[in-house]
mmCIF file of all heavy atoms in Angstrom:
data_model
loop_
_atom_site.group_PDB
_atom_site.id
_atom_site.type_symbol
_atom_site.label_atom_id
_atom_site.label_comp_id
_atom_site.label_asym_id
_atom_site.label_seq_id
_atom_site.Cartn_x
_atom_site.Cartn_y
_atom_site.Cartn_z
ATOM 1 N N GLU A 313 105.482 93.753 139.521
ATOM 2 C CA GLU A 313 104.210 94.189 138.951
ATOM 3 C C GLU A 313 104.328 94.566 137.472
ATOM 4 O O GLU A 313 103.331 94.933 136.837
ATOM 5 C CB GLU A 313 103.666 95.406 139.719
ATOM 6 C CG GLU A 313 103.434 95.193 141.212
ATOM 7 C CD GLU A 313 102.388 94.137 141.483
ATOM 8 O OE1 GLU A 313 101.377 94.114 140.760
ATOM 9 O OE2 GLU A 313 102.608 93.318 142.413
ATOM 10 N N ALA A 314 105.534 94.554 136.926
ATOM 11 C CA ALA A 314 105.717 94.992 135.538
ATOM 12 C C ALA A 314 104.856 94.146 134.602
ATOM 13 O O ALA A 314 104.837 92.916 134.712
ATOM 14 C CB ALA A 314 107.189 94.881 135.148
ATOM 15 N N PRO A 315 104.109 94.802 133.659
ATOM 16 C CA PRO A 315 103.219 94.054 132.760
ATOM 17 C C PRO A 315 103.940 92.994 131.921
ATOM 18 O O PRO A 315 103.311 92.050 131.470
ATOM 19 C CB PRO A 315 102.605 95.135 131.870
ATOM 20 C CG PRO A 315 103.060 96.446 132.374
ATOM 21 C CD PRO A 315 104.031 96.260 133.486
ATOM 22 N N ILE A 316 105.226 93.154 131.745
ATOM 23 C CA ILE A 316 105.977 92.180 130.927
ATOM 24 C C ILE A 316 105.834 90.769 131.500
ATOM 25 O O ILE A 316 105.832 89.789 130.763
ATOM 26 C CB ILE A 316 107.484 92.596 130.820
ATOM 27 C CG1 ILE A 316 108.212 91.752 129.757
ATOM 28 C CG2 ILE A 316 108.215 92.497 132.153
ATOM 29 C CD1 ILE A 316 108.004 92.198 128.360
ATOM 30 N N PHE A 317 105.676 90.657 132.829
ATOM 31 C CA PHE A 317 105.567 89.333 133.447
ATOM 32 C C PHE A 317 104.267 88.614 133.052
ATOM 33 O O PHE A 317 104.148 87.421 133.196
ATOM 34 C CB PHE A 317 105.678 89.434 134.982
ATOM 35 C CG PHE A 317 107.096 89.704 135.443
ATOM 36 C CD1 PHE A 317 107.412 90.860 136.145
ATOM 37 C CD2 PHE A 317 108.107 88.793 135.160
ATOM 38 C CE1 PHE A 317 108.716 91.114 136.562
ATOM 39 C CE2 PHE A 317 109.418 89.034 135.580
ATOM 40 C CZ PHE A 317 109.719 90.195 136.279
ATOM 41 N N GLN A 318 103.284 89.407 132.560
ATOM 42 C CA GLN A 318 102.023 88.773 132.136
ATOM 43 C C GLN A 318 102.161 88.024 130.819
ATOM 44 O O GLN A 318 101.342 87.174 130.491
ATOM 45 C CB GLN A 318 100.919 89.821 132.014
ATOM 46 C CG GLN A 318 100.429 90.295 133.383
ATOM 47 C CD GLN A 318 99.682 91.611 133.281
ATOM 48 O OE1 GLN A 318 99.115 91.937 132.245
ATOM 49 N NE2 GLN A 318 99.683 92.366 134.358
ATOM 50 N N VAL A 319 103.184 88.344 130.043
ATOM 51 C CA VAL A 319 103.371 87.622 128.776
ATOM 52 C C VAL A 319 104.606 86.718 128.817
ATOM 53 O O VAL A 319 104.825 85.924 127.913
ATOM 54 C CB VAL A 319 103.483 88.570 127.551
ATOM 55 C CG1 VAL A 319 102.219 89.401 127.394
ATOM 56 C CG2 VAL A 319 104.712 89.449 127.641
ATOM 57 N N ALA A 320 105.411 86.846 129.872
ATOM 58 C CA ALA A 320 106.659 86.082 129.931
ATOM 59 C C ALA A 320 106.400 84.627 130.301
ATOM 60 O O ALA A 320 105.574 84.327 131.160
ATOM 61 C CB ALA A 320 107.599 86.719 130.940
ATOM 62 N N ASP A 321 107.123 83.717 129.633
ATOM 63 C CA ASP A 321 107.054 82.298 129.992
ATOM 64 C C ASP A 321 107.893 82.056 131.238
ATOM 65 O O ASP A 321 107.549 81.251 132.084
ATOM 66 C CB ASP A 321 107.595 81.451 128.840
ATOM 67 C CG ASP A 321 106.790 81.665 127.576
ATOM 68 O OD1 ASP A 321 105.666 81.169 127.516
ATOM 69 O OD2 ASP A 321 107.273 82.374 126.660
ATOM 70 N N LEU A 322 109.012 82.763 131.294
ATOM 71 C CA LEU A 322 109.893 82.652 132.445
ATOM 72 C C LEU A 322 110.218 84.051 132.937
ATOM 73 O O LEU A 322 110.650 84.907 132.165
ATOM 74 C CB LEU A 322 111.190 81.935 132.047
ATOM 75 C CG LEU A 322 111.056 80.460 131.616
ATOM 76 C CD1 LEU A 322 112.344 79.959 131.001
ATOM 77 C CD2 LEU A 322 110.656 79.591 132.807
ATOM 78 N N GLY A 323 109.983 84.273 134.206
ATOM 79 C CA GLY A 323 110.263 85.593 134.755
ATOM 80 C C GLY A 323 111.241 85.487 135.909
ATOM 81 O O GLY A 323 111.194 84.543 136.703
ATOM 82 N N LEU A 324 112.138 86.448 135.957
ATOM 83 C CA LEU A 324 113.073 86.503 137.082
ATOM 84 C C LEU A 324 112.966 87.899 137.683
ATOM 85 O O LEU A 324 113.242 88.895 136.996
ATOM 86 C CB LEU A 324 114.508 86.227 136.591
ATOM 87 C CG LEU A 324 115.628 86.312 137.639
ATOM 88 C CD1 LEU A 324 115.445 85.264 138.737
ATOM 89 C CD2 LEU A 324 117.000 86.124 136.984
ATOM 90 N N VAL A 325 112.494 87.950 138.928
ATOM 91 C CA VAL A 325 112.391 89.239 139.608
ATOM 92 C C VAL A 325 113.739 89.466 140.298
ATOM 93 O O VAL A 325 114.047 88.833 141.306
ATOM 94 C CB VAL A 325 111.241 89.248 140.627
ATOM 95 C CG1 VAL A 325 111.155 90.602 141.317
ATOM 96 C CG2 VAL A 325 109.917 88.931 139.938
ATOM 97 N N ALA A 326 114.530 90.337 139.708
ATOM 98 C CA ALA A 326 115.875 90.541 140.242
ATOM 99 C C ALA A 326 116.459 91.834 139.712
ATOM 100 O O ALA A 326 115.954 92.398 138.739
ATOM 101 C CB ALA A 326 116.773 89.370 139.823
ATOM 102 N N ASP A 327 117.505 92.300 140.352
ATOM 103 C CA ASP A 327 118.258 93.456 139.866
ATOM 104 C C ASP A 327 119.035 93.029 138.625
ATOM 105 O O ASP A 327 119.881 92.130 138.692
ATOM 106 C CB ASP A 327 119.220 93.926 140.964
ATOM 107 C CG ASP A 327 119.997 95.171 140.543
ATOM 108 O OD1 ASP A 327 119.904 95.550 139.351
ATOM 109 O OD2 ASP A 327 120.688 95.742 141.392
#
Side-chain angles (χ1 to χ4, degrees):
Chain A
E313 301 297 320
I316 191 80
F317 286 118
Q318 286 162 26
V319 299
D321 300 286
L322 295 169
L324 177 63
V325 180
D327 182 351

